[in-house]
Amino acid sequence: MNRICELFGIKYPIIMGGMSWAGTPKLAAAVSEAGGLGIIGAGPMRKNDLQKAIDEIRNLTDKPFGVNIILVSPYADELVETVLENNVPIVTFGAGNPTKYIKSLKNNGIKVVPVVASDSLARMVERSGADAIVAEGMESGGHIGEVTTFVLVNAVSRKVKIPVIAAGGIVDGRGMAAAFALGAEGVQMGTRFIASKEADIHENFKQLIIKSGIRDTVVTGASLGHSARVIKTKFAKKVKNLEVSSPEEAENILVGSLRKAVLDGNLDEGSFMAGQTTGLINEIKSVKEIIKDILNEFNDVIKNLRERHL
Amino acid sequence: MNRICELFGIKYPIIMGGMSWAGTPKLAAAVSEAGGLGIIGAGPMRKNDLQKAIDEIRNLTDKPFGVNIILVSPYADELVETVLENNVPIVTFGAGNPTKYIKSLKNNGIKVVPVVASDSLARMVERSGADAIVAEGMESGGHIGEVTTFVLVNAVSRKVKIPVIAAGGIVDGRGMAAAFALGAEGVQMGTRFIASKEADIHENFKQLIIKSGIRDTVVTGASLGHSARVIKTKFAKKVKNLEVSSPEEAENILVGSLRKAVLDGNLDEGSFMAGQTTGLINEIKSVKEIIKDILNEFNDVIKNLRERHL
């Protein structure tokens, strides 16, 4: 029915974003159990952490799941090794070009899904053998590029033949229908899934997402070469200012700041990475409800569009 | 069939963006003649210029058209007066809150359509009596806000009852269908319409649009308080650098730079305002072809979506 569902062996083409600290086996298992694809965020992990996380998710679900590896991690090699050893069904790759890992993963039957922020990288990873692509717009939370979902998904899905998963700005059935209209065959959501009952992020983080409007995020780190969208807290504004006046100090206070947000809810020293979608999220729901509501609205939107046919 | 078509008395809910220098009576008439809504860009005009432009478009078409007024113009009052005197059917307002003009325009049967970049301003202008709203994402060309089309259109159309027109990132039927999925009932396009045979922008500008990819625009003026998306030329990069080192000099070289781009094709001193959609535009077409192609693709996309119904 849908190439993404077929490729991953899942019921609904709804993928969890790769999220450091927040992408726990528990949350990923909940997404997979609800019919989507849960993703363990291996961003800050080393081999042993990932091994534990894989063991944990396999205790929680027998459905397909994935692991997200960030290519800027100094431990990317050992994380890919762990994925291979454990025969994880799917790997998504963020922050770089994963070409060098694709062959060995594919030879072992592991599906490779790079996250891209440009149409040129999309074409490159397709040529290298990627099975699908996440096209992630700059409205996303965390590390981002410059092109918006609206433009990127349209451009990427016109330029590659493999299926495209849209990310950035999506929380509901409207977003999913729009992504499909632009050429995507799946959607990836991060912020929506951490605003869930099953997410183990600190309560302060969940409350910030609920309270924030669509204009309450800001991009930090742009001038440092690693743009990340975060909720506009005092800390975020401080980082923005320091980027100009004292880039080194900005780098210093950013170290460990995501962990402080996710685990400690530390409003003074934490980077609360989240997308512009914070302004579209008003409620903490269970993962099951999130997915059910999206699918219901998606079907309604498509029905209504039919009636607006010109 | 569609509230936007009804409101404006047009055949297709496709609106031309308000564009200084590029929004000529000739181009606006072509859009109106093709069944959309052409818009005269009164941005840099004074009373007499606008009077001439209105006379000109009325010689070219008897279809409805609109005038775009920028609220930061020191001549906004006299331009509104001219609109009233000439009983122009529709006014769109950019760069500010047009509340003070709404009552007199509406009393004279003129439709008022503010362009907004936030959900809060959308609600405010609805309360003030606006007839419709253009929700313009930050992927748009020219003066922009911070929120992307994907998030903004969804948020705004959930928060107001008047019809919403989506702007930013739209050039084709995919974009139109996605905008409708997000809750819009019309689309506004700027960059797509200036890449047309009828546009009188300099040939250099048209060629830049054709050649540029989705990552070939940049936002200048952000630190000066007037963010504008332009094609990433050497001049644009120079402005970006000067904004940090010498904001006054940046302001100085920006004066008149849009005119130099549009009329003179001046690559060294011109601000070629355009959206990220430059990367989706590969051909100069007639306005009629642009609109025909969008409608055909829109209908195809909706048909395909129906089949992807889950």
mmCIF file of all heavy atoms in Angstrom, chain A residues 1 17 23 54 57-58 93-94 97 104 110 140 146 157 169 177 179 184 213 216 229 233 247 251 269 272 292 294 304:
data_model
loop_
_atom_site.group_PDB
_atom_site.id
_atom_site.type_symbol
_atom_site.label_atom_id
_atom_site.label_comp_id
_atom_site.label_asym_id
_atom_site.label_seq_id
_atom_site.Cartn_x
_atom_site.Cartn_y
_atom_site.Cartn_z
ATOM 1 N N MET A 1 0.829 -1.209 0.000
ATOM 2 C CA MET A 1 0.000 0.000 0.000
ATOM 3 C C MET A 1 0.862 1.257 0.000
ATOM 4 O O MET A 1 0.542 2.236 -0.625
ATOM 5 C CB MET A 1 -0.889 -0.024 1.237
ATOM 6 C CG MET A 1 -1.643 1.260 1.521
ATOM 7 S SD MET A 1 -1.671 1.595 3.330
ATOM 8 C CE MET A 1 0.075 1.645 3.731
ATOM 9 N N GLY A 17 11.598 10.652 15.128
ATOM 10 C CA GLY A 17 12.849 11.336 14.828
ATOM 11 C C GLY A 17 13.982 10.806 15.705
ATOM 12 O O GLY A 17 13.746 10.317 16.811
ATOM 13 N N GLY A 23 15.405 9.993 22.881
ATOM 14 C CA GLY A 23 15.017 8.844 22.072
ATOM 15 C C GLY A 23 15.311 7.536 22.784
ATOM 16 O O GLY A 23 16.165 6.750 22.371
ATOM 17 N N ILE A 54 19.433 -1.568 22.810
ATOM 18 C CA ILE A 54 18.875 -2.557 21.871
ATOM 19 C C ILE A 54 18.276 -3.733 22.635
ATOM 20 O O ILE A 54 17.176 -4.204 22.329
ATOM 21 C CB ILE A 54 19.961 -3.025 20.866
ATOM 22 C CG1 ILE A 54 20.363 -1.869 19.944
ATOM 23 C CG2 ILE A 54 19.463 -4.215 20.042
ATOM 24 C CD1 ILE A 54 21.593 -2.134 19.084
ATOM 25 N N ILE A 57 14.917 -2.508 24.128
ATOM 26 C CA ILE A 57 13.769 -2.396 23.223
ATOM 27 C C ILE A 57 13.291 -3.780 22.786
ATOM 28 O O ILE A 57 12.095 -4.000 22.600
ATOM 29 C CB ILE A 57 14.055 -1.467 22.014
ATOM 30 C CG1 ILE A 57 12.728 -1.067 21.346
ATOM 31 C CG2 ILE A 57 14.995 -2.093 21.019
ATOM 32 C CD1 ILE A 57 12.837 0.028 20.324
ATOM 33 N N ARG A 58 14.209 -4.718 22.660
ATOM 34 C CA ARG A 58 13.802 -6.070 22.235
ATOM 35 C C ARG A 58 13.012 -6.782 23.328
ATOM 36 O O ARG A 58 12.248 -7.706 23.050
ATOM 37 C CB ARG A 58 15.019 -6.872 21.792
ATOM 38 C CG ARG A 58 15.476 -6.401 20.412
ATOM 39 C CD ARG A 58 16.349 -7.401 19.666
ATOM 40 N NE ARG A 58 16.292 -7.145 18.230
ATOM 41 C CZ ARG A 58 17.352 -7.093 17.423
ATOM 42 N NH1 ARG A 58 18.569 -7.281 17.908
ATOM 43 N NH2 ARG A 58 17.193 -6.862 16.135
ATOM 44 N N PHE A 93 20.617 8.040 9.660
ATOM 45 C CA PHE A 93 21.882 8.740 9.884
ATOM 46 C C PHE A 93 21.656 10.238 9.832
ATOM 47 O O PHE A 93 21.099 10.739 8.856
ATOM 48 C CB PHE A 93 22.899 8.380 8.797
ATOM 49 C CG PHE A 93 23.590 7.065 8.999
ATOM 50 C CD1 PHE A 93 23.250 5.961 8.229
ATOM 51 C CD2 PHE A 93 24.593 6.941 9.955
ATOM 52 C CE1 PHE A 93 23.898 4.748 8.400
ATOM 53 C CE2 PHE A 93 25.250 5.730 10.132
ATOM 54 C CZ PHE A 93 24.905 4.626 9.357
ATOM 55 N N GLY A 94 22.098 10.954 10.841
ATOM 56 C CA GLY A 94 21.976 12.403 10.835
ATOM 57 C C GLY A 94 23.319 13.085 10.720
ATOM 58 O O GLY A 94 24.365 12.459 10.911
ATOM 59 N N ASN A 97 27.222 12.708 5.713
ATOM 60 C CA ASN A 97 27.052 11.797 4.583
ATOM 61 C C ASN A 97 27.503 10.394 4.999
ATOM 62 O O ASN A 97 28.681 10.159 5.217
ATOM 63 C CB ASN A 97 27.895 12.330 3.415
ATOM 64 C CG ASN A 97 27.763 11.454 2.184
ATOM 65 O OD1 ASN A 97 27.276 10.326 2.245
ATOM 66 N ND2 ASN A 97 28.211 11.977 1.054
ATOM 67 N N SER A 104 28.215 -2.046 3.842
ATOM 68 C CA SER A 104 28.255 -3.153 4.810
ATOM 69 C C SER A 104 26.901 -3.337 5.482
ATOM 70 O O SER A 104 26.475 -4.463 5.750
ATOM 71 C CB SER A 104 29.358 -2.935 5.848
ATOM 72 O OG SER A 104 29.080 -1.789 6.628
ATOM 73 N N ILE A 110 20.381 -4.641 6.421
ATOM 74 C CA ILE A 110 19.917 -3.520 7.251
ATOM 75 C C ILE A 110 19.531 -2.345 6.344
ATOM 76 O O ILE A 110 20.275 -1.990 5.433
ATOM 77 C CB ILE A 110 21.015 -3.111 8.262
ATOM 78 C CG1 ILE A 110 21.273 -4.312 9.206
ATOM 79 C CG2 ILE A 110 20.622 -1.856 9.033
ATOM 80 C CD1 ILE A 110 22.457 -4.130 10.121
ATOM 81 N N SER A 140 12.318 22.035 11.961
ATOM 82 C CA SER A 140 12.550 20.937 12.901
ATOM 83 C C SER A 140 13.249 21.408 14.162
ATOM 84 O O SER A 140 13.942 22.420 14.150
ATOM 85 C CB SER A 140 13.490 19.902 12.273
ATOM 86 O OG SER A 140 12.882 19.256 11.212
ATOM 87 N N GLU A 146 18.843 24.740 6.199
ATOM 88 C CA GLU A 146 18.298 26.071 5.906
ATOM 89 C C GLU A 146 16.993 26.050 5.125
ATOM 90 O O GLU A 146 16.273 27.038 5.078
ATOM 91 C CB GLU A 146 19.322 26.882 5.095
ATOM 92 C CG GLU A 146 20.523 27.296 5.913
ATOM 93 C CD GLU A 146 21.573 28.015 5.070
ATOM 94 O OE1 GLU A 146 21.312 28.323 3.890
ATOM 95 O OE2 GLU A 146 22.671 28.244 5.605
ATOM 96 N N SER A 157 11.777 14.976 -3.402
ATOM 97 C CA SER A 157 11.002 13.856 -3.948
ATOM 98 C C SER A 157 10.869 13.947 -5.462
ATOM 99 O O SER A 157 10.531 12.966 -6.109
ATOM 100 C CB SER A 157 9.652 13.725 -3.251
ATOM 101 O OG SER A 157 8.935 14.907 -3.357
ATOM 102 N N GLY A 169 7.932 20.266 11.154
ATOM 103 C CA GLY A 169 6.654 20.959 11.047
ATOM 104 C C GLY A 169 5.431 20.055 11.122
ATOM 105 O O GLY A 169 4.306 20.535 11.029
ATOM 106 N N ALA A 177 -0.891 14.919 5.512
ATOM 107 C CA ALA A 177 -1.489 15.027 4.175
ATOM 108 C C ALA A 177 -0.697 16.004 3.312
ATOM 109 O O ALA A 177 -0.462 15.759 2.123
ATOM 110 C CB ALA A 177 -2.947 15.462 4.281
ATOM 111 N N ALA A 179 2.482 16.735 3.612
ATOM 112 C CA ALA A 179 3.752 16.084 3.266
ATOM 113 C C ALA A 179 3.552 15.120 2.102
ATOM 114 O O ALA A 179 4.365 15.076 1.179
ATOM 115 C CB ALA A 179 4.305 15.339 4.481
ATOM 116 N N ALA A 184 6.039 13.135 -0.326
ATOM 117 C CA ALA A 184 6.549 12.188 0.669
ATOM 118 C C ALA A 184 5.654 10.962 0.752
ATOM 119 O O ALA A 184 4.489 11.000 0.354
ATOM 120 C CB ALA A 184 6.626 12.863 2.041
ATOM 121 N N GLY A 213 4.515 29.021 21.694
ATOM 122 C CA GLY A 213 3.816 29.277 20.439
ATOM 123 C C GLY A 213 4.720 29.004 19.248
ATOM 124 O O GLY A 213 5.884 28.619 19.419
ATOM 125 N N ASP A 216 8.095 30.767 19.278
ATOM 126 C CA ASP A 216 8.879 30.666 20.508
ATOM 127 C C ASP A 216 10.086 29.741 20.419
ATOM 128 O O ASP A 216 10.578 29.258 21.439
ATOM 129 C CB ASP A 216 7.970 30.251 21.673
ATOM 130 C CG ASP A 216 6.981 31.348 22.028
ATOM 131 O OD1 ASP A 216 7.266 32.517 21.698
ATOM 132 O OD2 ASP A 216 5.923 31.050 22.610
ATOM 133 N N ARG A 229 17.719 24.258 16.437
ATOM 134 C CA ARG A 229 16.512 24.961 16.870
ATOM 135 C C ARG A 229 16.140 24.534 18.280
ATOM 136 O O ARG A 229 16.046 23.338 18.569
ATOM 137 C CB ARG A 229 15.353 24.683 15.915
ATOM 138 C CG ARG A 229 14.101 25.505 16.263
ATOM 139 C CD ARG A 229 12.970 25.317 15.251
ATOM 140 N NE ARG A 229 13.349 25.723 13.916
ATOM 141 C CZ ARG A 229 13.432 26.986 13.506
ATOM 142 N NH1 ARG A 229 13.144 27.987 14.347
ATOM 143 N NH2 ARG A 229 13.788 27.276 12.277
ATOM 144 N N THR A 233 14.385 30.138 25.460
ATOM 145 C CA THR A 233 14.531 30.405 26.899
ATOM 146 C C THR A 233 15.571 31.505 27.079
ATOM 147 O O THR A 233 16.244 31.903 26.126
ATOM 148 C CB THR A 233 15.032 29.153 27.630
ATOM 149 O OG1 THR A 233 16.288 28.784 27.045
ATOM 150 C CG2 THR A 233 14.052 27.992 27.486
ATOM 151 N N PRO A 247 32.390 33.652 20.935
ATOM 152 C CA PRO A 247 32.025 32.337 20.402
ATOM 153 C C PRO A 247 32.537 31.175 21.246
ATOM 154 O O PRO A 247 31.839 30.177 21.398
ATOM 155 C CB PRO A 247 32.673 32.325 19.012
ATOM 156 C CG PRO A 247 32.910 33.742 18.663
ATOM 157 C CD PRO A 247 33.091 34.495 19.945
ATOM 158 N N GLU A 251 30.341 28.146 22.874
ATOM 159 C CA GLU A 251 30.626 26.714 22.705
ATOM 160 C C GLU A 251 30.694 26.022 24.070
ATOM 161 O O GLU A 251 30.150 24.933 24.261
ATOM 162 C CB GLU A 251 31.969 26.504 21.970
ATOM 163 C CG GLU A 251 31.949 26.820 20.486
ATOM 164 C CD GLU A 251 31.264 25.744 19.638
ATOM 165 O OE1 GLU A 251 30.600 24.859 20.209
ATOM 166 O OE2 GLU A 251 31.380 25.830 18.402
ATOM 167 N N GLU A 269 20.448 26.237 32.181
ATOM 168 C CA GLU A 269 21.635 25.745 31.463
ATOM 169 C C GLU A 269 21.298 24.723 30.389
ATOM 170 O O GLU A 269 22.190 24.083 29.835
ATOM 171 C CB GLU A 269 22.622 25.122 32.466
ATOM 172 C CG GLU A 269 23.164 26.114 33.491
ATOM 173 C CD GLU A 269 24.001 25.420 34.571
ATOM 174 O OE1 GLU A 269 24.223 24.194 34.471
ATOM 175 O OE2 GLU A 269 24.437 26.123 35.510
ATOM 176 N N PHE A 272 16.700 23.290 25.129
ATOM 177 C CA PHE A 272 15.461 22.536 24.936
ATOM 178 C C PHE A 272 15.171 22.448 23.444
ATOM 179 O O PHE A 272 14.416 23.248 22.895
ATOM 180 C CB PHE A 272 14.315 23.197 25.702
ATOM 181 C CG PHE A 272 14.492 23.123 27.196
ATOM 182 C CD1 PHE A 272 15.271 24.059 27.873
ATOM 183 C CD2 PHE A 272 13.912 22.092 27.924
ATOM 184 C CE1 PHE A 272 15.453 23.974 29.245
ATOM 185 C CE2 PHE A 272 14.090 22.004 29.301
ATOM 186 C CZ PHE A 272 14.865 22.949 29.969
ATOM 187 N N LYS A 292 -3.152 7.612 16.439
ATOM 188 C CA LYS A 292 -4.565 7.439 16.062
ATOM 189 C C LYS A 292 -5.141 8.780 15.565
ATOM 190 O O LYS A 292 -5.803 8.847 14.529
ATOM 191 C CB LYS A 292 -5.368 6.939 17.268
ATOM 192 C CG LYS A 292 -6.758 6.411 16.917
ATOM 193 C CD LYS A 292 -7.592 6.179 18.164
ATOM 194 C CE LYS A 292 -7.972 7.514 18.784
ATOM 195 N NZ LYS A 292 -8.711 7.451 20.032
ATOM 196 N N ILE A 294 -3.589 11.373 14.339
ATOM 197 C CA ILE A 294 -2.998 11.762 13.049
ATOM 198 C C ILE A 294 -3.686 11.034 11.906
ATOM 199 O O ILE A 294 -4.070 11.639 10.896
ATOM 200 C CB ILE A 294 -1.487 11.450 13.026
ATOM 201 C CG1 ILE A 294 -0.749 12.429 13.931
ATOM 202 C CG2 ILE A 294 -0.936 11.526 11.611
ATOM 203 C CD1 ILE A 294 0.718 12.149 14.051
ATOM 204 N N ASN A 304 -11.781 15.817 2.530
ATOM 205 C CA ASN A 304 -12.158 17.213 2.267
ATOM 206 C C ASN A 304 -11.490 17.767 1.013
ATOM 207 O O ASN A 304 -12.097 18.513 0.262
ATOM 208 C CB ASN A 304 -11.789 18.109 3.456
ATOM 209 C CG ASN A 304 -12.714 17.883 4.625
ATOM 210 O OD1 ASN A 304 -13.846 17.463 4.444
ATOM 211 N ND2 ASN A 304 -12.220 18.140 5.821
#
